[in-house]
Amino acid sequence: MLRGLIARVYWTFSRWTLSTQPAPARPTVLIGAPHTSNWDFVLMLAIAWRLGIDVRWLGKKSLFRGWRGPVMRALGGIAVDRDDPSRIVGEVVAQAHAGEVFGLVVTPDGTRSGHTHWKSGFYRIARETGMPVTLGYVDRTTMTTGLGPTIDLTGDVAGDMDRIRAFYADKSGLRPEHRVEPRLRDEPRGS
């Protein structure tokens, strides 16, 4: 209830407009893109809390050290040990099979600069768990943010990524110079 109240106050006074499709009614991998600023995290929480989505997000283990650990976990954070990243898929599968409805937020463009492709973790998690992918976005040019369509991945990587690219083609993050084209490293270049 408190999160909903905070979200309503935020959207009342924010210069951003929430323009969104309804929240998915089943567990989903929620892409957050283009991810070009730390402010994207605040927008993601505001979207999720306004729509009543129980969010989980992946963060490097170092974010969870000391006093930050309990705060990050309370906000839905799951610490990722880069030495054993496969453990995350097992945890997500267990939560989905337990009947929990949540959005697993993944920012596939990785860090906010210096990358030439998206990380494929979101795709692997969605395919291995059977979860759909919901396209969350930030668009600085229109000052809108929210959720786009929820799609089921087919396993045709090039075809699935073409649909994702089409959605994000006109979206620009807070720092457009850090935008990474939605393309996986091992995706065929012809698409």
PDB file of all heavy atoms in Angstrom, residues 29-35 105-111 115 117-123 136 161 164 168 180-184:
ATOM      1  N   VAL A  29       9.846 -11.837 -17.872  1.00  0.00           N
ATOM      2  CA  VAL A  29      11.148 -11.183 -17.899  1.00  0.00           C
ATOM      3  C   VAL A  29      10.874  -9.778 -18.413  1.00  0.00           C
ATOM      4  O   VAL A  29      10.350  -9.605 -19.513  1.00  0.00           O
ATOM      5  CB  VAL A  29      12.142 -11.931 -18.815  1.00  0.00           C
ATOM      6  CG1 VAL A  29      13.443 -11.138 -18.928  1.00  0.00           C
ATOM      7  CG2 VAL A  29      12.410 -13.332 -18.304  1.00  0.00           C
ATOM      8  N   LEU A  30      11.166  -8.802 -17.607  1.00  0.00           N
ATOM      9  CA  LEU A  30      10.847  -7.410 -17.919  1.00  0.00           C
ATOM     10  C   LEU A  30      12.124  -6.695 -18.353  1.00  0.00           C
ATOM     11  O   LEU A  30      13.011  -6.453 -17.549  1.00  0.00           O
ATOM     12  CB  LEU A  30      10.234  -6.733 -16.693  1.00  0.00           C
ATOM     13  CG  LEU A  30       9.868  -5.278 -16.765  1.00  0.00           C
ATOM     14  CD1 LEU A  30       8.907  -5.009 -17.908  1.00  0.00           C
ATOM     15  CD2 LEU A  30       9.256  -4.825 -15.456  1.00  0.00           C
ATOM     16  N   ILE A  31      12.212  -6.410 -19.636  1.00  0.00           N
ATOM     17  CA  ILE A  31      13.379  -5.702 -20.166  1.00  0.00           C
ATOM     18  C   ILE A  31      13.245  -4.227 -19.837  1.00  0.00           C
ATOM     19  O   ILE A  31      12.188  -3.626 -20.022  1.00  0.00           O
ATOM     20  CB  ILE A  31      13.478  -5.864 -21.696  1.00  0.00           C
ATOM     21  CG1 ILE A  31      13.791  -7.310 -22.054  1.00  0.00           C
ATOM     22  CG2 ILE A  31      14.546  -4.936 -22.260  1.00  0.00           C
ATOM     23  CD1 ILE A  31      13.843  -7.549 -23.560  1.00  0.00           C
ATOM     24  N   GLY A  32      14.326  -3.635 -19.371  1.00  0.00           N
ATOM     25  CA  GLY A  32      14.392  -2.199 -19.152  1.00  0.00           C
ATOM     26  C   GLY A  32      15.390  -1.604 -20.134  1.00  0.00           C
ATOM     27  O   GLY A  32      16.585  -1.827 -19.993  1.00  0.00           O
ATOM     28  N   ALA A  33      14.906  -0.880 -21.146  1.00  0.00           N
ATOM     29  CA  ALA A  33      15.811  -0.329 -22.156  1.00  0.00           C
ATOM     30  C   ALA A  33      15.213   0.946 -22.751  1.00  0.00           C
ATOM     31  O   ALA A  33      14.007   1.147 -22.654  1.00  0.00           O
ATOM     32  CB  ALA A  33      16.051  -1.372 -23.254  1.00  0.00           C
ATOM     33  N   PRO A  34      15.982   1.781 -23.371  1.00  0.00           N
ATOM     34  CA  PRO A  34      17.424   1.797 -23.290  1.00  0.00           C
ATOM     35  C   PRO A  34      17.875   2.231 -21.896  1.00  0.00           C
ATOM     36  O   PRO A  34      17.331   3.181 -21.328  1.00  0.00           O
ATOM     37  CB  PRO A  34      17.851   2.799 -24.347  1.00  0.00           C
ATOM     38  CG  PRO A  34      16.632   3.582 -24.707  1.00  0.00           C
ATOM     39  CD  PRO A  34      15.447   2.813 -24.258  1.00  0.00           C
ATOM     40  N   HIS A  35      18.835   1.503 -21.366  1.00  0.00           N
ATOM     41  CA  HIS A  35      19.335   1.767 -20.012  1.00  0.00           C
ATOM     42  C   HIS A  35      20.573   2.635 -20.129  1.00  0.00           C
ATOM     43  O   HIS A  35      21.657   2.157 -20.411  1.00  0.00           O
ATOM     44  CB  HIS A  35      19.652   0.439 -19.329  1.00  0.00           C
ATOM     45  CG  HIS A  35      20.184   0.578 -17.934  1.00  0.00           C
ATOM     46  ND1 HIS A  35      19.755   1.539 -17.065  1.00  0.00           N
ATOM     47  CD2 HIS A  35      21.110  -0.144 -17.269  1.00  0.00           C
ATOM     48  CE1 HIS A  35      20.395   1.401 -15.906  1.00  0.00           C
ATOM     49  NE2 HIS A  35      21.225   0.391 -16.015  1.00  0.00           N
ATOM     50  N   VAL A 105      13.295  -7.953 -13.751  1.00  0.00           N
ATOM     51  CA  VAL A 105      13.813  -6.840 -14.539  1.00  0.00           C
ATOM     52  C   VAL A 105      15.252  -7.131 -14.946  1.00  0.00           C
ATOM     53  O   VAL A 105      16.098  -7.442 -14.112  1.00  0.00           O
ATOM     54  CB  VAL A 105      13.752  -5.518 -13.741  1.00  0.00           C
ATOM     55  CG1 VAL A 105      14.350  -4.377 -14.549  1.00  0.00           C
ATOM     56  CG2 VAL A 105      12.326  -5.201 -13.339  1.00  0.00           C
ATOM     57  N   VAL A 106      15.492  -7.029 -16.250  1.00  0.00           N
ATOM     58  CA  VAL A 106      16.830  -7.234 -16.796  1.00  0.00           C
ATOM     59  C   VAL A 106      17.125  -6.064 -17.725  1.00  0.00           C
ATOM     60  O   VAL A 106      16.283  -5.678 -18.531  1.00  0.00           O
ATOM     61  CB  VAL A 106      16.902  -8.561 -17.594  1.00  0.00           C
ATOM     62  CG1 VAL A 106      18.282  -8.759 -18.184  1.00  0.00           C
ATOM     63  CG2 VAL A 106      16.521  -9.744 -16.718  1.00  0.00           C
ATOM     64  N   THR A 107      18.311  -5.497 -17.575  1.00  0.00           N
ATOM     65  CA  THR A 107      18.743  -4.439 -18.490  1.00  0.00           C
ATOM     66  C   THR A 107      19.779  -5.058 -19.420  1.00  0.00           C
ATOM     67  O   THR A 107      20.957  -5.108 -19.101  1.00  0.00           O
ATOM     68  CB  THR A 107      19.334  -3.239 -17.723  1.00  0.00           C
ATOM     69  OG1 THR A 107      20.374  -3.710 -16.861  1.00  0.00           O
ATOM     70  CG2 THR A 107      18.272  -2.537 -16.907  1.00  0.00           C
ATOM     71  N   PRO A 108      19.344  -5.544 -20.583  1.00  0.00           N
ATOM     72  CA  PRO A 108      20.230  -6.328 -21.433  1.00  0.00           C
ATOM     73  C   PRO A 108      21.346  -5.545 -22.103  1.00  0.00           C
ATOM     74  O   PRO A 108      22.271  -6.138 -22.631  1.00  0.00           O
ATOM     75  CB  PRO A 108      19.292  -6.922 -22.482  1.00  0.00           C
ATOM     76  CG  PRO A 108      18.136  -6.008 -22.506  1.00  0.00           C
ATOM     77  CD  PRO A 108      17.999  -5.450 -21.125  1.00  0.00           C
ATOM     78  N   ASP A 109      21.255  -4.207 -22.084  1.00  0.00           N
ATOM     79  CA  ASP A 109      22.347  -3.467 -22.695  1.00  0.00           C
ATOM     80  C   ASP A 109      23.549  -3.436 -21.763  1.00  0.00           C
ATOM     81  O   ASP A 109      24.545  -2.808 -22.040  1.00  0.00           O
ATOM     82  CB  ASP A 109      21.971  -2.065 -23.153  1.00  0.00           C
ATOM     83  CG  ASP A 109      20.755  -1.440 -22.532  1.00  0.00           C
ATOM     84  OD1 ASP A 109      20.169  -2.013 -21.618  1.00  0.00           O
ATOM     85  OD2 ASP A 109      20.385  -0.359 -22.985  1.00  0.00           O
ATOM     86  N   GLY A 110      23.463  -4.141 -20.636  1.00  0.00           N
ATOM     87  CA  GLY A 110      24.603  -4.254 -19.717  1.00  0.00           C
ATOM     88  C   GLY A 110      24.902  -2.928 -19.069  1.00  0.00           C
ATOM     89  O   GLY A 110      24.007  -2.175 -18.728  1.00  0.00           O
ATOM     90  N   THR A 111      26.169  -2.652 -18.895  1.00  0.00           N
ATOM     91  CA  THR A 111      26.530  -1.356 -18.337  1.00  0.00           C
ATOM     92  C   THR A 111      26.119  -0.287 -19.329  1.00  0.00           C
ATOM     93  O   THR A 111      25.886  -0.560 -20.493  1.00  0.00           O
ATOM     94  CB  THR A 111      28.043  -1.276 -18.041  1.00  0.00           C
ATOM     95  OG1 THR A 111      28.745  -1.557 -19.238  1.00  0.00           O
ATOM     96  CG2 THR A 111      28.441  -2.245 -16.954  1.00  0.00           C
ATOM     97  N   HIS A 115      29.434  -0.826 -24.741  1.00  0.00           N
ATOM     98  CA  HIS A 115      29.029  -2.117 -25.291  1.00  0.00           C
ATOM     99  C   HIS A 115      28.545  -1.950 -26.722  1.00  0.00           C
ATOM    100  O   HIS A 115      28.020  -0.909 -27.097  1.00  0.00           O
ATOM    101  CB  HIS A 115      27.923  -2.758 -24.444  1.00  0.00           C
ATOM    102  CG  HIS A 115      28.424  -3.310 -23.161  1.00  0.00           C
ATOM    103  ND1 HIS A 115      28.907  -4.582 -23.044  1.00  0.00           N
ATOM    104  CD2 HIS A 115      28.541  -2.757 -21.933  1.00  0.00           C
ATOM    105  CE1 HIS A 115      29.296  -4.803 -21.802  1.00  0.00           C
ATOM    106  NE2 HIS A 115      29.081  -3.704 -21.111  1.00  0.00           N
ATOM    107  N   HIS A 117      26.633  -4.608 -28.087  1.00  0.00           N
ATOM    108  CA  HIS A 117      25.534  -5.564 -28.232  1.00  0.00           C
ATOM    109  C   HIS A 117      24.841  -5.741 -26.880  1.00  0.00           C
ATOM    110  O   HIS A 117      25.363  -5.337 -25.847  1.00  0.00           O
ATOM    111  CB  HIS A 117      26.081  -6.914 -28.716  1.00  0.00           C
ATOM    112  CG  HIS A 117      27.048  -7.511 -27.740  1.00  0.00           C
ATOM    113  ND1 HIS A 117      28.379  -7.165 -27.723  1.00  0.00           N
ATOM    114  CD2 HIS A 117      26.865  -8.387 -26.729  1.00  0.00           C
ATOM    115  CE1 HIS A 117      28.981  -7.809 -26.732  1.00  0.00           C
ATOM    116  NE2 HIS A 117      28.085  -8.555 -26.117  1.00  0.00           N
ATOM    117  N   TRP A 118      23.662  -6.343 -26.904  1.00  0.00           N
ATOM    118  CA  TRP A 118      22.948  -6.688 -25.677  1.00  0.00           C
ATOM    119  C   TRP A 118      23.470  -8.007 -25.128  1.00  0.00           C
ATOM    120  O   TRP A 118      23.871  -8.895 -25.897  1.00  0.00           O
ATOM    121  CB  TRP A 118      21.466  -6.846 -25.970  1.00  0.00           C
ATOM    122  CG  TRP A 118      20.684  -5.568 -26.005  1.00  0.00           C
ATOM    123  CD1 TRP A 118      21.168  -4.295 -26.130  1.00  0.00           C
ATOM    124  CD2 TRP A 118      19.262  -5.458 -25.926  1.00  0.00           C
ATOM    125  NE1 TRP A 118      20.133  -3.403 -26.132  1.00  0.00           N
ATOM    126  CE2 TRP A 118      18.942  -4.093 -26.005  1.00  0.00           C
ATOM    127  CE3 TRP A 118      18.238  -6.375 -25.796  1.00  0.00           C
ATOM    128  CZ2 TRP A 118      17.641  -3.629 -25.952  1.00  0.00           C
ATOM    129  CZ3 TRP A 118      16.935  -5.911 -25.752  1.00  0.00           C
ATOM    130  CH2 TRP A 118      16.647  -4.552 -25.822  1.00  0.00           C
ATOM    131  N   LYS A 119      23.421  -8.143 -23.820  1.00  0.00           N
ATOM    132  CA  LYS A 119      23.739  -9.425 -23.193  1.00  0.00           C
ATOM    133  C   LYS A 119      22.541 -10.354 -23.405  1.00  0.00           C
ATOM    134  O   LYS A 119      21.390  -9.918 -23.383  1.00  0.00           O
ATOM    135  CB  LYS A 119      24.005  -9.237 -21.704  1.00  0.00           C
ATOM    136  CG  LYS A 119      25.259  -8.425 -21.434  1.00  0.00           C
ATOM    137  CD  LYS A 119      25.489  -8.273 -19.959  1.00  0.00           C
ATOM    138  CE  LYS A 119      26.737  -7.467 -19.692  1.00  0.00           C
ATOM    139  NZ  LYS A 119      26.979  -7.292 -18.257  1.00  0.00           N
ATOM    140  N   SER A 120      22.804 -11.624 -23.586  1.00  0.00           N
ATOM    141  CA  SER A 120      21.744 -12.577 -23.947  1.00  0.00           C
ATOM    142  C   SER A 120      21.070 -13.239 -22.749  1.00  0.00           C
ATOM    143  O   SER A 120      20.186 -14.073 -22.924  1.00  0.00           O
ATOM    144  CB  SER A 120      22.314 -13.658 -24.867  1.00  0.00           C
ATOM    145  OG  SER A 120      23.346 -14.363 -24.199  1.00  0.00           O
ATOM    146  N   GLY A 121      21.430 -12.867 -21.540  1.00  0.00           N
ATOM    147  CA  GLY A 121      20.861 -13.498 -20.352  1.00  0.00           C
ATOM    148  C   GLY A 121      19.342 -13.450 -20.305  1.00  0.00           C
ATOM    149  O   GLY A 121      18.690 -14.429 -19.943  1.00  0.00           O
ATOM    150  N   PHE A 122      18.751 -12.311 -20.683  1.00  0.00           N
ATOM    151  CA  PHE A 122      17.294 -12.198 -20.655  1.00  0.00           C
ATOM    152  C   PHE A 122      16.661 -13.236 -21.573  1.00  0.00           C
ATOM    153  O   PHE A 122      15.640 -13.833 -21.249  1.00  0.00           O
ATOM    154  CB  PHE A 122      16.837 -10.777 -21.051  1.00  0.00           C
ATOM    155  CG  PHE A 122      16.770 -10.539 -22.535  1.00  0.00           C
ATOM    156  CD1 PHE A 122      15.579 -10.712 -23.230  1.00  0.00           C
ATOM    157  CD2 PHE A 122      17.897 -10.150 -23.247  1.00  0.00           C
ATOM    158  CE1 PHE A 122      15.516 -10.498 -24.596  1.00  0.00           C
ATOM    159  CE2 PHE A 122      17.839  -9.921 -24.606  1.00  0.00           C
ATOM    160  CZ  PHE A 122      16.646 -10.102 -25.283  1.00  0.00           C
ATOM    161  N   TYR A 123      17.287 -13.453 -22.729  1.00  0.00           N
ATOM    162  CA  TYR A 123      16.744 -14.390 -23.711  1.00  0.00           C
ATOM    163  C   TYR A 123      16.845 -15.820 -23.181  1.00  0.00           C
ATOM    164  O   TYR A 123      15.889 -16.595 -23.255  1.00  0.00           O
ATOM    165  CB  TYR A 123      17.503 -14.248 -25.040  1.00  0.00           C
ATOM    166  CG  TYR A 123      16.774 -14.858 -26.209  1.00  0.00           C
ATOM    167  CD1 TYR A 123      15.943 -14.078 -27.003  1.00  0.00           C
ATOM    168  CD2 TYR A 123      16.897 -16.208 -26.509  1.00  0.00           C
ATOM    169  CE1 TYR A 123      15.260 -14.622 -28.078  1.00  0.00           C
ATOM    170  CE2 TYR A 123      16.218 -16.769 -27.576  1.00  0.00           C
ATOM    171  CZ  TYR A 123      15.397 -15.976 -28.359  1.00  0.00           C
ATOM    172  OH  TYR A 123      14.717 -16.526 -29.413  1.00  0.00           O
ATOM    173  N   GLY A 136       9.823  -3.063 -21.385  1.00  0.00           N
ATOM    174  CA  GLY A 136       9.739  -1.809 -20.645  1.00  0.00           C
ATOM    175  C   GLY A 136      10.633  -0.780 -21.318  1.00  0.00           C
ATOM    176  O   GLY A 136      11.637  -1.124 -21.943  1.00  0.00           O
ATOM    177  N   MET A 161      14.466 -11.002 -32.068  1.00  0.00           N
ATOM    178  CA  MET A 161      15.189  -9.746 -31.891  1.00  0.00           C
ATOM    179  C   MET A 161      14.715  -8.684 -32.886  1.00  0.00           C
ATOM    180  O   MET A 161      14.722  -7.499 -32.556  1.00  0.00           O
ATOM    181  CB  MET A 161      16.702  -9.973 -32.004  1.00  0.00           C
ATOM    182  CG  MET A 161      17.284 -10.738 -30.820  1.00  0.00           C
ATOM    183  SD  MET A 161      16.944  -9.962 -29.207  1.00  0.00           S
ATOM    184  CE  MET A 161      17.823  -8.400 -29.366  1.00  0.00           C
ATOM    185  N   ILE A 164      11.844  -7.101 -31.187  1.00  0.00           N
ATOM    186  CA  ILE A 164      12.325  -6.247 -30.093  1.00  0.00           C
ATOM    187  C   ILE A 164      12.949  -4.971 -30.651  1.00  0.00           C
ATOM    188  O   ILE A 164      12.674  -3.872 -30.167  1.00  0.00           O
ATOM    189  CB  ILE A 164      13.306  -7.039 -29.195  1.00  0.00           C
ATOM    190  CG1 ILE A 164      12.534  -8.141 -28.444  1.00  0.00           C
ATOM    191  CG2 ILE A 164      14.042  -6.113 -28.234  1.00  0.00           C
ATOM    192  CD1 ILE A 164      13.417  -9.147 -27.727  1.00  0.00           C
ATOM    193  N   TYR A 168      11.947  -0.862 -29.962  1.00  0.00           N
ATOM    194  CA  TYR A 168      12.882   0.117 -29.384  1.00  0.00           C
ATOM    195  C   TYR A 168      13.478   1.086 -30.403  1.00  0.00           C
ATOM    196  O   TYR A 168      14.220   1.992 -30.026  1.00  0.00           O
ATOM    197  CB  TYR A 168      14.017  -0.602 -28.644  1.00  0.00           C
ATOM    198  CG  TYR A 168      13.565  -1.208 -27.338  1.00  0.00           C
ATOM    199  CD1 TYR A 168      13.511  -2.583 -27.170  1.00  0.00           C
ATOM    200  CD2 TYR A 168      13.189  -0.404 -26.272  1.00  0.00           C
ATOM    201  CE1 TYR A 168      13.090  -3.150 -25.974  1.00  0.00           C
ATOM    202  CE2 TYR A 168      12.758  -0.945 -25.076  1.00  0.00           C
ATOM    203  CZ  TYR A 168      12.716  -2.318 -24.932  1.00  0.00           C
ATOM    204  OH  TYR A 168      12.296  -2.861 -23.755  1.00  0.00           O
ATOM    205  N   VAL A 180      22.644   1.335 -26.815  1.00  0.00           N
ATOM    206  CA  VAL A 180      23.199   0.162 -27.473  1.00  0.00           C
ATOM    207  C   VAL A 180      22.091  -0.457 -28.325  1.00  0.00           C
ATOM    208  O   VAL A 180      20.986  -0.689 -27.843  1.00  0.00           O
ATOM    209  CB  VAL A 180      23.707  -0.875 -26.434  1.00  0.00           C
ATOM    210  CG1 VAL A 180      24.185  -2.141 -27.117  1.00  0.00           C
ATOM    211  CG2 VAL A 180      24.797  -0.273 -25.572  1.00  0.00           C
ATOM    212  N   GLU A 181      22.383  -0.703 -29.589  1.00  0.00           N
ATOM    213  CA  GLU A 181      21.414  -1.313 -30.504  1.00  0.00           C
ATOM    214  C   GLU A 181      20.992  -2.680 -29.971  1.00  0.00           C
ATOM    215  O   GLU A 181      21.834  -3.473 -29.553  1.00  0.00           O
ATOM    216  CB  GLU A 181      22.048  -1.471 -31.888  1.00  0.00           C
ATOM    217  CG  GLU A 181      21.158  -2.114 -32.914  1.00  0.00           C
ATOM    218  CD  GLU A 181      19.965  -1.275 -33.323  1.00  0.00           C
ATOM    219  OE1 GLU A 181      19.957  -0.050 -33.081  1.00  0.00           O
ATOM    220  OE2 GLU A 181      19.021  -1.849 -33.892  1.00  0.00           O
ATOM    221  N   PRO A 182      19.694  -2.996 -29.949  1.00  0.00           N
ATOM    222  CA  PRO A 182      19.235  -4.313 -29.489  1.00  0.00           C
ATOM    223  C   PRO A 182      19.684  -5.430 -30.429  1.00  0.00           C
ATOM    224  O   PRO A 182      18.995  -5.784 -31.379  1.00  0.00           O
ATOM    225  CB  PRO A 182      17.706  -4.180 -29.472  1.00  0.00           C
ATOM    226  CG  PRO A 182      17.424  -2.723 -29.484  1.00  0.00           C
ATOM    227  CD  PRO A 182      18.565  -2.102 -30.219  1.00  0.00           C
ATOM    228  N   ARG A 183      20.860  -5.962 -30.185  1.00  0.00           N
ATOM    229  CA  ARG A 183      21.409  -7.058 -30.988  1.00  0.00           C
ATOM    230  C   ARG A 183      22.250  -7.927 -30.071  1.00  0.00           C
ATOM    231  O   ARG A 183      23.042  -7.417 -29.292  1.00  0.00           O
ATOM    232  CB  ARG A 183      22.265  -6.519 -32.127  1.00  0.00           C
ATOM    233  CG  ARG A 183      22.862  -7.605 -33.018  1.00  0.00           C
ATOM    234  CD  ARG A 183      23.523  -7.045 -34.256  1.00  0.00           C
ATOM    235  NE  ARG A 183      22.658  -6.172 -35.034  1.00  0.00           N
ATOM    236  CZ  ARG A 183      21.691  -6.592 -35.856  1.00  0.00           C
ATOM    237  NH1 ARG A 183      21.445  -7.873 -35.999  1.00  0.00           N
ATOM    238  NH2 ARG A 183      20.969  -5.723 -36.529  1.00  0.00           N
ATOM    239  N   LEU A 184      22.051  -9.234 -30.152  1.00  0.00           N
ATOM    240  CA  LEU A 184      22.828 -10.170 -29.347  1.00  0.00           C
ATOM    241  C   LEU A 184      24.155 -10.462 -30.038  1.00  0.00           C
ATOM    242  O   LEU A 184      24.236 -10.461 -31.267  1.00  0.00           O
ATOM    243  CB  LEU A 184      22.046 -11.458 -29.117  1.00  0.00           C
ATOM    244  CG  LEU A 184      20.670 -11.293 -28.466  1.00  0.00           C
ATOM    245  CD1 LEU A 184      20.027 -12.658 -28.254  1.00  0.00           C
ATOM    246  CD2 LEU A 184      20.764 -10.528 -27.155  1.00  0.00           C
TER     247      LEU A 184
END
